[in-house]
Amino acid sequence: MPYARGVVERAMTIQEVILRAIAGQLTWLQAADILGRSPRSIRRLRWKLEHEGYEGLFDRGQQTPSPKRAPVAEVQRVLALYRDRYQGFNVRHFHQLARREHGVRFCYAFVKKVLPMAGLVPRQQPRGRHRRRREPRPCFGELLHLDGSRHRWLALVPDRWFTLLAVVDDATKHVLYAQLHDGGESVAAIMTALRTGLERYGLPLALYTDRAHWAVHTPTSGSAPDRRHPTQVGRALARLGIEHILGYSPQARGRSERVNRTRQDRLVNELRLAGVTTVAAANRAICASSSCPASMPNSAGRPQTRARPSCRSGASSSIRSSAWRTSASSAATTS
């Protein structure tokens, strides 16, 4: 394969400058400045000229095409797919859907590079220094996060706000429950979420929530919660032997806040793409799509139990879950 004209001209320029430096017309520092190279690179080019001749000055990478070149037609298909169908999706979400639904074989790094170059997504700014995150619990079921996210979940109904209640496991980030509600975080909705999760997975050791009205009684705004007057949810948790941990800031509830932010970015686009306009249809779509609790992107491929010494006897999640169900049934019988 012949070299391009620019490559040949570059090699001729390098040869001329090095020969003038050898003849003493230029110093080697001046030759490095003219060619825009370092002194070490100039010494290497001089060695190639002396041992390989003029052919050694050519850039061999400009002759042989890279075996990793992306076909132009395939790149155009990916760009058209994002522009016409998945406009507004983040790059990782689009890459997962493109590989699963449309057979795109490009890696995530390439898609993340080509979309900003085409002007379809904004370039990401470097993140600032993040606060130190708490180490997650070692075993599945030791700590659950329950939180509600009020958002315009249905993009086709932009004037209405809905609340998505979700229960997330702290160890595996697995979403155990996720349902959309028309109202806010009512006691009935919270009890329904807890009952569904407990019947399916058993009793956890602790539950982490914010200081909402259903979670704890707060006499005045900004004051400390009054544990002496438990709410209905608090009494139910105490009767089941579940420790209730309260979060005092959004940073303290970082795990659930990050899951909600990811879900707001992905689920809204998926519901818009599916043409969902009602709460019932949205809940059916949540269970049937990639945002279903059993197949959330942030829980796919992760084990249910982490192999750590603090996980007692290496118990698996299935064993612990059956033990929780036994304790739940015995507690219900005793009550």
Side-chain angles (χ1 to χ4, degrees):
M1 177 180 176
Y3 290 100
R5 180 178 179 179
V7 178
V8 176
E9 293 178 353
R10 180 65 175 172
M12 294 174 62
T13 303
I14 293 175
Q15 182 189 33
E16 180 183 357
V17 172
I18 291 179
L19 289 178
R20 291 179 62 185
I22 293 175
Q25 299 180 5
L26 296 173
T27 65
W28 290 108
L29 291 178
Q30 290 175 342
D33 291 338
I34 293 174
L35 297 177
R37 302 290 190 93
S38 65
R40 181 178 180 181
S41 178
I42 293 298
R43 289 194 298 268
R44 184 168 59 250
L45 292 174
R46 177 184 179 182
W47 185 91
K48 287 185 177 182
L49 181 62
E50 293 175 350
H51 293 78
E52 300 180 11
Y54 176 66
E55 295 292 335
L57 301 179
F58 284 93
D59 186 0
R60 305 295 173 84
Q62 300 292 333
Q63 180 184 22
T64 304
S66 173
K68 298 182 179 180
R69 288 188 307 171
V72 178
E74 187 66 16
V75 175
Q76 292 177 346
R77 186 174 78 92
V78 171
L79 297 179
L81 190 64
Y82 183 87
R83 182 177 58 252
D84 300 336
R85 183 174 176 83
Y86 295 102
Q87 188 74 31
F89 283 58
N90 64 56
V91 180
R92 186 173 296 277
H93 193 193
F94 166 71
H95 177 255
Q96 293 175 349
L97 293 176
R99 288 180 66 93
R100 184 175 65 245
E101 304 293 339
H102 304 280
V104 174
R105 304 186 63 180
F106 292 139
C107 64
Y108 168 71
F110 178 79
V111 177
K112 184 180 179 181
K113 180 180 180 180
V114 73
L115 289 181
M117 291 177 61
L120 295 178
V121 297
R123 296 184 181 274
Q124 293 184 352
Q125 299 295 329
R127 292 184 178 181
R129 188 174 182 178
H130 198 280
R131 58 181 292 165
R132 185 178 180 181
R133 295 181 179 179
R134 174 185 57 83
E135 186 70 15
R137 296 296 177 93
C139 291
F140 172 81
E142 288 195 20
L143 177 65
L144 302 183
H145 297 264
L146 191 154
D147 193 16
S149 176
R150 189 170 181 266
H151 188 68
R152 292 187 177 95
W153 291 100
L154 302 183
L156 300 180
V157 191
D159 56 337
R160 296 189 59 185
W161 292 74
F162 301 93
T163 301
L164 184 71
L165 292 179
V167 179
V168 183
D169 177 62
D170 185 74
T172 63
K173 312 302 180 294
H174 186 71
V175 182
L176 309 183
Y177 175 89
Q179 287 290 302
L180 200 64
H181 294 270
D182 197 354
E185 300 181 23
S186 63
V187 176
I190 296 297
M191 287 293 194
T192 302
L194 288 175
R195 178 176 179 177
T196 303
L198 297 183
E199 288 179 347
R200 183 176 302 174
Y201 299 98
L203 295 179
L205 298 182
L207 180 69
Y208 200 105
T209 68
D210 56 10
R211 294 183 299 162
H213 63 90
W214 54 264
V216 67
H217 173 64
T218 304
T220 58
S221 178
S223 62
D226 187 3
R227 292 277 191 166
R228 297 173 300 176
H229 299 83
T231 61
Q232 296 184 19
V233 176
R235 288 195 294 269
L237 295 177
R239 190 168 185 177
L240 293 173
I242 302 174
E243 181 185 2
H244 189 192
I245 304 176
L246 299 175
Y248 288 83
S249 66
Q251 291 78 12
R253 305 190 308 273
R255 306 222 193 285
S256 57
E257 293 292 336
R258 286 190 295 273
V259 170
N260 286 335
R261 184 172 63 247
T262 301
R263 198 177 295 110
Q264 288 176 4
D265 191 18
R266 295 183 173 222
L267 184 58
V268 172
N269 288 324
E270 291 187 4
L271 295 179
R272 173 178 58 82
L273 196 63
V276 175
T277 57
T278 62
V279 174
N283 288 328
R284 290 194 299 267
I286 289 174
C287 294
S289 67
S290 61
S291 296
C292 180
S295 60
M296 278 292 292
N298 58 356
S299 63
R302 298 189 181 183
Q304 294 296 314
T305 304
R306 297 190 178 189
R308 297 185 183 179
S310 59
C311 187
R312 293 177 290 276
S313 304
S316 65
S317 61
S318 59
I319 296 176
R320 293 179 59 82
S321 181
S322 62
W324 297 336
R325 291 193 179 94
T326 304
S327 61
S329 60
S330 61
T333 304
T334 306
S335 61

